[in-house]
């Protein structure tokens, strides 16, 4: 390590907020973001239902939302942050010109990609629902024309967020999706007040219902990206178009090739999933909504933790400090288990009630709510493996290795596609509930496989990872969560039988509230009793408050 690097590292640490502080500030914004996002989805399924219209909208919006998941979930951001951090460390202008190059090239690529995607919308529809008997190709294509422009805005959000994260600004990128959700909520309100219904046969691009829903969806994403611009200016960043060449852009290009391949594999996976899911009316909607619910705790807790860890791991990688990388990986794995396992248990034991409480209204009804809840309950076990897999990918990206995550993605996709066809063949034809559970299980099991594979690969790359310590923490969280939610379900059973609630949806709400209020605190309390080290700061804080009183 050079003398300059040694002297500047403490300064960087002083300027950078702690992981706990950064995670905490993001968690508040993410809670609001996830709450408004869930509200928008509840309104969506209530307004348009969970069958033909709902499935067609979900299928059309799969492409931009998948890219959002891959890019905002860490792929492009994870590649860009290590390079931005290195440029900040090495360049005299603090990496500003390098950031300008990345944004310029990213905007150009995203623009071209969006135009091509819109031109190929009918082809994308044919690919996505080629083997689906229950789909409406004309409606899917019409929605695709309107929502595909969101690709460029999702990508810009990822790029601008990466620049802000590299400058230790985490709050604004986390608040931006709230505005997107607000726009969608307003659009759904307008849609609900429109007279008549959308014409499905034939589908007309001039149909006001179609235009409001499709263009409103794209508008929300555009607003989400635009609010990051003033935030970036506030950091002192001044943007200008840079179409020249920087030698390090070839490095980014090499990484970007593997990122694009990663995205392509994800697209192939989602194409097969969509084809399989649309074999039974309502399956795709059920899968997407159970996935949405499962992502709420990860978005609030997991994303906040990993976003704060990414610049820290990137700086450790820039100084070739493998010990620091391993410490961050171990910390991230253990904290992911501690934070998320209780929520995984909650969704497992009360998934059906969550589905009924949230979605059994309007055009959806009890059948759709039950279908969503059952798929959630039987696939929620993957929440912790999912978080660990994404953390492992971030470790590779921090080391400027985009090739290995693509290899891991390829193997995960192979396992996922194989399982999708297995579940399709064993499900009763036309049974949307069975198929929704099967599709959700295929996705979940692929992340379990990915977590194990990634840990083995990192062991080869970095040496001893103290995996046993992580496994022990996972076992502790499983035991604590199982005991806590068994007790919570018992209390709920006593209350339900004592009071007697005839309405199914009201009974579901009571179960969700009771089990959550008892199960989550009891889970974390048992982890404290088990003396899990990461619980000590919280315990010390509580003891201080008690002593003051």
């Amino acid at each position: 390590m050079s003398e300059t690097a040694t002297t500047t590292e403490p300064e960087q640490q002083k300027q950078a907020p702690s992981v706990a502080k950064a995670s905490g500030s993001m968690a508040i914004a993410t809670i609001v973001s996830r709450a408004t996002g869930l509200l928008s989805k509840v309104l969506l399924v209530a307004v348009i239902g969970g069958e033909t219209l709902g499935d067609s909208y979900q299928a059309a919006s799969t492409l931009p939302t998948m890219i959002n998941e891959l890019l905002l979930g860490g792929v492009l951001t994870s590649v860009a942050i290590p390079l931005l951090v290195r440029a900040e460390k090495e360049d005299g202008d603090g990496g500003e010109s390098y950031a300008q190059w990345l944004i310029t090239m990213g905007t150009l690529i995203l623009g071209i990609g969006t135009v091509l995607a819109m031109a190929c919308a009918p082809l994308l529809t044919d690919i996505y629902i080629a083997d689906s008997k229950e789909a409406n190709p004309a409606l899917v294509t019409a929605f695709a024309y309107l929502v595909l422009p969101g690709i460029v805005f999702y990508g810009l959000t990822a790029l601008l967020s990466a620049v802000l994260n590299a400058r230790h600004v985490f709050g604004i990128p986390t608040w931006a999706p709230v505005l997107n959700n607000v726009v969608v909520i307003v659009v759904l309100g307008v849609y609900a007040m429109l007279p008549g219904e959308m014409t499905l046969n034939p589908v007309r691009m001039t149909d006001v219902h179609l235009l409001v829903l499709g263009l409103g969806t794209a508008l929300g994403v555009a607003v989400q990206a635009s609010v990051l611009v003033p935030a970036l200016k506030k950091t002192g960043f001044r943007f200008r178009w840079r179409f020249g060449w920087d030698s390090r852009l070839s490095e980014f290009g090499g990484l970007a090739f593997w990122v694009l391949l990663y995205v392509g594999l994800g697209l192939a996976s989602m194409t097969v999933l969509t084809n399989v899911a649309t074999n039974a009316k309502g399956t795709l909607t059920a899968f997407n909504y159970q996935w949405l619910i499962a992502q709420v705790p990860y978005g609030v807790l997991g994303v906040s933790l990993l976003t704060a860890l990414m610049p820290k791991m990137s700086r450790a990688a820039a100084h070739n400090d493998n010990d620091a990388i391993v410490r961050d990986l171990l910390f991230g794995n253990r904290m992911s288990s501690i934070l998320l396992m209780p929520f995984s248990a909650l969704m497992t034991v009360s998934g059906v009630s969550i589905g009924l409480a949230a979605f059994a209204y309007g055009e959806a009804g009890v059948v759709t709510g039950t279908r969503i809840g059952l798929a959630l309950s039987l696939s929620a076990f993957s929440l912790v493996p999912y978080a660990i897999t994404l953390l492992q990918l971030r470790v590779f990206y921090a080391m400027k290795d985009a090739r290995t995550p693509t290899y891991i993605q390829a193997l995960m996709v192979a396992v996922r596609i194989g399982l999708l066809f297995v579940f399709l063949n064993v499900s009763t034809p036309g049974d949307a509930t069975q198929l929704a559970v099967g599709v959700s299980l295929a996705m979940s099991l692929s992340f379990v496989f990915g977590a194990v594979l990634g840990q083995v690969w990192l062991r080869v790359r970095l040496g001893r990872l103290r995996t046993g310590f992580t496994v022990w923490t996972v076992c502790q969280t499983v035991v604590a969560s199982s005991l806590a939610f068994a007790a919570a379900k018992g209390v709920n059973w006593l209350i339900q039988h004592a009071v007697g609630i005839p309405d199914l949806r009201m009974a579901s709400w009571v179960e969700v509230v009771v089990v959550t209020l008892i199960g989550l605190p009891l889970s974390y309390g048992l982890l404290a009793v088990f003396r899990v080290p990461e619980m000590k700061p919280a315990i010390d804080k509580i003891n201080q408050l008690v002593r003051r009183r």
Side-chain angles (χ1 to χ4, degrees):
M1 188 182 297
S2 67
E3 184 179 352
T4 303
T6 304
T7 56
T8 57
E9 181 68 13
E11 295 175 5
Q12 291 172 338
Q13 291 175 347
K14 288 178 183 178
Q15 294 171 356
S18 68
V19 172
K21 183 177 180 181
S23 299
S25 63
M26 283 186 290
I28 297 172
T30 308
I31 289 172
V32 178
S33 173
R34 294 288 170 164
T36 53
L38 183 58
L39 175 60
S40 71
K41 297 302 181 183
V42 170
L43 290 175
L44 179 65
V45 76
V47 169
I48 69 174
E51 297 197 352
T52 301
L53 179 55
D55 278 357
S56 297
Y57 176 83
Q58 297 291 337
S61 60
T62 295
L63 181 60
T65 53
M66 184 205 69
I67 294 176
N68 173 40
E69 181 67 26
L70 293 174
L71 299 184
L72 287 182
V75 179
L76 180 57
T77 303
S78 296
V79 169
I81 287 178
L83 299 178
L84 290 166
V85 167
R86 289 171 188 266
E88 178 187 340
K89 173 176 173 286
E90 297 170 359
D91 294 0
D93 64 354
E96 182 168 293
S97 61
Y98 188 60
Q100 292 169 346
W101 268 310
L102 287 182
I103 294 174
T104 300
M105 299 303 293
T107 302
L108 180 63
I109 293 171
L110 288 165
I112 294 173
T114 301
V115 171
L116 290 176
M118 293 184 67
C120 297
L123 176 61
L124 291 174
T125 298
D126 289 341
I127 294 173
Y128 259 56
I129 59 174
D131 301 322
S132 305
K133 301 175 182 178
E134 300 293 338
N136 186 329
L139 184 58
V140 175
T141 302
F143 271 128
Y145 279 126
L146 300 173
V147 301
L148 281 172
I151 295 173
V152 68
F153 297 113
Y154 280 131
L156 281 174
T157 301
L159 278 169
L160 298 179
S161 296
V163 177
L164 287 167
N165 289 166
R167 292 167 175 251
H168 312 296
V169 177
F170 301 103
I172 297 298
T174 316
W175 280 103
V178 175
L179 293 178
N180 182 357
N181 297 331
V182 170
V183 170
V184 172
I185 290 170
V186 172
V187 167
L188 289 172
V190 173
Y191 180 91
M193 291 186 292
L194 291 175
E197 296 181 353
M198 186 183 299
T199 304
L200 302 183
N201 188 20
V203 175
R204 298 187 179 92
M205 284 299 299
T206 55
D207 190 327
V208 176
H209 296 82
L210 179 69
L211 293 173
V212 167
L213 193 55
L215 292 178
T217 300
L219 176 62
V221 188
V223 170
Q224 176 178 322
S226 65
V227 297
L228 298 178
V229 175
L232 198 55
K233 290 182 179 178
K234 192 174 180 180
T235 66
F237 180 83
R238 293 294 178 265
F239 176 73
R240 57 178 291 237
W241 295 102
R242 285 186 177 270
F243 292 100
W245 188 258
D246 184 285
S247 59
R248 290 167 302 186
L249 282 179
S250 55
E251 178 184 41
F252 178 79
L255 294 173
F257 167 78
W258 292 103
V259 171
L260 290 174
L261 184 55
Y262 186 107
V263 172
L265 289 167
L267 176 59
S269 168
M270 291 307 300
T271 300
V272 174
L273 188 148
T274 304
N275 268 283
V276 169
T278 48
N279 273 274
K281 194 181 298 182
T283 299
L284 184 60
T285 296
F287 167 77
N288 283 341
Y289 278 89
Q290 72 81 20
W291 183 254
L292 168 74
I293 298 171
Q295 290 301 291
V296 171
Y298 172 74
V300 173
L301 301 172
V303 170
S304 301
L305 172 67
L306 299 186
T307 303
L309 276 175
M310 189 64 209
K312 191 169 181 284
M313 289 190 296
S314 298
R315 289 186 172 84
H319 292 88
N320 297 316
D321 188 352
N322 285 353
D323 290 339
I325 296 175
V326 170
R327 284 196 301 271
D328 290 335
L329 174 64
L330 178 62
F331 175 76
N333 283 343
R334 287 169 55 83
M335 285 304 299
S336 295
S337 180
I338 291 167
L339 293 173
L340 298 176
M341 189 66 76
F343 287 93
S344 180
L346 167 63
M347 290 183 287
T348 298
V349 302
S350 294
V352 174
S353 293
I354 293 172
L356 288 169
F359 299 108
Y361 304 96
E363 295 291 328
V366 172
V367 173
T368 297
T370 302
R371 186 182 300 144
I372 293 170
L374 190 60
L376 173 68
S377 179
L378 296 178
S379 62
F381 63 85
S382 69
L383 185 57
V384 173
Y386 173 76
I388 289 176
T389 299
L390 293 186
L391 174 61
Q392 292 166 346
L393 297 183
R394 282 162 169 77
V395 173
F396 286 112
Y397 288 131
M399 297 186 292
K400 296 196 301 181
D401 178 5
R403 180 180 303 186
T404 303
T406 304
Y407 290 155
I408 294 174
Q409 169 83 325
L411 294 172
M412 289 174 60
V413 165
V415 170
R416 187 178 304 154
I417 290 175
L419 289 171
L420 283 169
F421 283 111
V422 168
F423 288 122
L424 175 62
N425 290 325
V426 301
S427 299
T428 303
D431 191 323
T433 299
Q434 286 187 15
L435 191 55
V437 170
V439 170
S440 301
L441 280 173
M443 181 67 77
S444 295
L445 290 170
S446 70
F447 282 113
V448 175
F449 171 77
V452 175
L453 178 63
Q455 195 73 4
V456 172
W457 216 309
L458 283 169
R459 174 66 174 82
V460 174
R461 181 74 174 269
L462 295 174
R464 185 169 176 264
L465 301 178
R466 302 182 69 189
T467 303
F469 202 20
T470 299
V471 172
W472 175 242
T473 300
V474 171
C475 291
Q476 288 179 303
T477 58
V478 168
V479 172
S481 300
S482 299
L483 293 174
F485 282 96
K489 286 285 286 187
V491 172
N492 173 70
W493 184 86
L494 292 173
I495 292 174
Q496 298 272 6
H497 278 72
V499 177
I501 305 173
D503 184 73
L504 181 60
R505 284 170 294 195
M506 180 59 69
S508 298
W509 271 111
V510 171
E511 177 176 341
V512 171
V513 172
V514 170
V515 173
T516 301
L517 292 180
I518 295 176
L520 289 179
L522 188 55
S523 295
Y524 294 116
L526 288 173
L527 288 173
V529 172
F530 293 166
R531 297 184 181 277
V532 176
E534 283 76 9
M535 295 296 295
K536 190 175 185 303
I539 297 170
D540 291 342
K541 186 68 174 177
I542 293 172
N543 289 335
Q544 288 176 8
L545 293 174
V546 171
R547 291 193 191 100
R548 288 175 186 173
R549 288 187 176 275

